Amino acid sequence: QRGSFVFEPNQEDLKKLCEFRSMVEVDALRLAMLRNRARTLAAMKAAAERMQAAYEDGDRRRLASADDDFHDALLVNSDNPYLIKAYGLFSGKVAALRRHRPIAPSLGTANAEHFAIVAMLEDGDLQGALDLLGLHVRRMADRIEEGSLPRPAYAPNPRPIDLPAD
C-alpha cells in the first residue's frame, strides 16, 4: 500500500507500545476532564455506544473506528498540542492493530471498560477512571495475543487526529 508501512510487532513491542500509550492517555484524560469535561464525556460515551453497536453487528471496521474515536476524544479535549503530537507517534500503529485484529470476545470486555470509565467520570471518580484507563490500554497487548492478530498489519504513517475547529 502506498504511504503505508509494515508493522510487525512482537509481544514485547506491543507491551512497550501499550506502556507508552497508557502514560500519554492517562495524562490526556486528566487534562481533558479539567478543561473540557462535558465535551469529553459526551464524545467518549457516544464512541462507546457506536463501538457496542458495531460489536453486536460484527463490523470490525466500524468497531475500530469507534474505538479510535473513544481514545481520540480524550486527546483532543486535553487541549495540549504536545500530547496530541506524542500520540501521533504511535496512533497509526494502534489503528493498524485495531483494524487487523479479529473480533474476539475480549473486545466486548474492552468496550465494557469504556462504559465503566465513562460511568466513573460521571460519578466524579477521576482517579478510578484514570486507573482503569491505564489498565485498559496496557491490556491491549493481551487482547491482540488472544485474538491471534494476523501479521503483517499495515498502517498509515502517522494517523492524524481530527482537531476541533477553533
Side-chain angles (χ1 to χ4, degrees):
Q1 278 183 316
R2 187 176 184 178
S4 297
F5 64 93
V6 177
F7 178 49
E8 300 184 60
N10 60 35
Q11 196 62 21
E12 187 63 24
D13 289 335
L14 287 172
K15 285 183 181 179
K16 288 181 180 177
L17 173 66
C18 291
E19 284 175 355
F20 181 59
R21 188 177 152 221
S22 175
M23 289 186 281
V24 171
E25 288 195 31
V26 166
D27 281 337
L29 179 58
R30 184 184 328 274
L31 290 174
M33 293 306 292
L34 289 171
R35 296 175 177 166
N36 297 299
R37 185 180 196 283
R39 191 169 63 199
T40 302
L41 281 171
M44 291 171 74
K45 190 174 201 172
E49 289 168 354
R50 286 192 313 275
M51 189 172 168
Q52 184 64 35
Y55 178 76
E56 290 169 2
D57 293 345
D59 187 332
R60 184 171 63 190
R61 184 179 225 155
R62 280 184 24 236
L63 193 149
S65 179
D67 198 0
D68 286 344
D69 291 347
F70 181 89
H71 294 275
D72 287 355
L74 53 102
L75 265 295
V76 169
N77 287 300
S78 75
D79 283 342
N80 186 311
Y82 298 101
L83 276 176
I84 293 168
K85 190 169 186 107
Y87 194 72
L89 293 173
F90 57 82
S91 62
K93 292 177 181 180
V94 173
L97 294 171
R98 284 186 181 127
R99 279 160 179 73
H100 291 277
R101 67 184 174 194
I103 297 179
S106 65
L107 290 178
T109 302
N111 200 40
E113 291 170 356
H114 287 173
F115 282 112
I117 291 164
V118 170
M120 288 174 179
L121 293 171
E122 289 175 334
D123 291 343
D125 184 5
L126 178 59
Q127 190 58 55
L130 295 171
D131 291 345
L132 181 54
L133 176 64
L135 180 61
H136 167 80
V137 168
R138 289 188 306 275
R139 285 181 179 160
M140 183 183 193
D142 297 330
R143 289 185 182 112
I144 288 169
E145 186 175 45
E146 171 201 311
S148 303
L149 176 71
R151 308 253 197 287
Y154 295 93
N157 188 15
R159 184 183 66 79
I161 296 174
D162 294 326
L163 298 175
D166 289 333

